[in-house]
Amino acid sequence: MTDINWWLMKSEPDAYSIDDLKKDDLTLWDGIRNYQARNFMRNMTIGDKVFFYHSNCKPPSIVGLMEVKRKDIIDPTQFDKSSKYFDPKSDALKPRWDCVEVKFISKFKNELSLSDLRLMFNEEELLLVKKGNRLSIIPIKAKIAKQLLLKLDTGIN
């Protein structure tokens, strides 16, 4: 059996929130249009755990946990002309963008804000705290994931 990997994925709560995921249970994590973030997503494996991070809000925070259920899914939004994620350069025979399907695990009763995370970790430990980091998907080291879970384990609903 292989060890699971840990990730963090960002979403603006007014676009798609942890509450939306809780209601939906499963969703495609589509619309990724950064090659490095896409490549991180391609490195995911089924069963990997993902911290759900609300971005572009006050305060930006880790708010929940999800699990990768399927991977290597062609992102349908790249071909949808009505989607803000439409990519006219993407070819149906060789798509540029793919996505994963994630499943809701939990919403944390308490959140860990970016300010808290900056006090806990340096940028080598957690890429999220690096100034100027705008990646929507980042890997999390297992040791850091355990520390995050301990800090967040004051309650899950």
Side-chain angles (χ1 to χ4, degrees):
M1 187 168 145
T2 61
D3 291 331
I4 64 163
N5 298 305
W6 291 87
W7 306 90
L8 181 140
M9 297 168 92
K10 299 177 183 178
S11 180
E12 296 178 13
D14 59 345
Y16 195 80
S17 71
I18 188 67
D19 291 326
D20 294 324
L21 179 60
K22 184 175 183 177
K23 180 178 57 92
D24 296 343
D25 191 50
L26 287 167
T27 194
L28 290 182
W29 204 269
D30 57 14
I32 303 302
R33 296 297 180 267
N34 173 286
Y35 287 106
Q36 188 174 3
R38 181 207 62 188
N39 292 342
F40 283 147
M41 193 163 44
R42 286 181 174 177
N43 288 328
M44 292 177 175
T45 58
I46 294 169
D48 283 357
K49 301 295 187 269
V50 183
F51 291 99
F52 194 121
Y53 182 85
H54 279 170
S55 63
N56 201 23
C57 60
K58 300 264 186 223
S61 304
I62 294 175
V63 296
L65 193 64
M66 50 192 178
E67 180 178 334
V68 176
K69 296 307 273 184
R70 290 191 306 144
K71 61 174 283 172
D72 301 323
I73 302 164
I74 294 171
D75 183 340
T77 62
Q78 67 193 305
F79 304 118
D80 180 355
K81 290 183 180 178
S82 66
S83 171
K84 69 179 184 176
Y85 300 112
F86 173 68
D87 182 351
K89 295 181 180 176
S90 193
D91 184 301
L93 297 176
K94 192 171 181 184
R96 286 181 180 198
W97 309 107
D98 42 56
C99 58
V100 295
E101 182 181 58
V102 292
K103 179 176 179 31
F104 175 82
I105 295 178
S106 62
K107 177 180 176 180
F108 298 118
K109 285 185 182 175
N110 298 306
E111 302 176 356
L112 260 178
S113 72
L114 181 57
S115 299
D116 294 334
L117 294 167
R118 284 191 170 128
L119 293 173
M120 295 170 60
F121 304 106
N122 63 46
E123 62 187 51
E124 286 79 36
E125 295 170 316
L126 183 63
L127 184 59
L128 180 68
V129 303
K130 184 176 182 178
K131 296 274 188 218
N133 173 50
R134 303 207 24 97
L135 285 174
S136 60
I137 299 171
I138 59 170
I140 305 287
K141 296 173 187 160
K143 152 181 133 170
I144 301 301
K146 287 178 185 157
Q147 291 177 41
L148 291 170
L149 290 171
L150 284 173
K151 189 75 171 173
L152 289 160
D153 191 30
T154 52
I156 294 175
N157 64 11

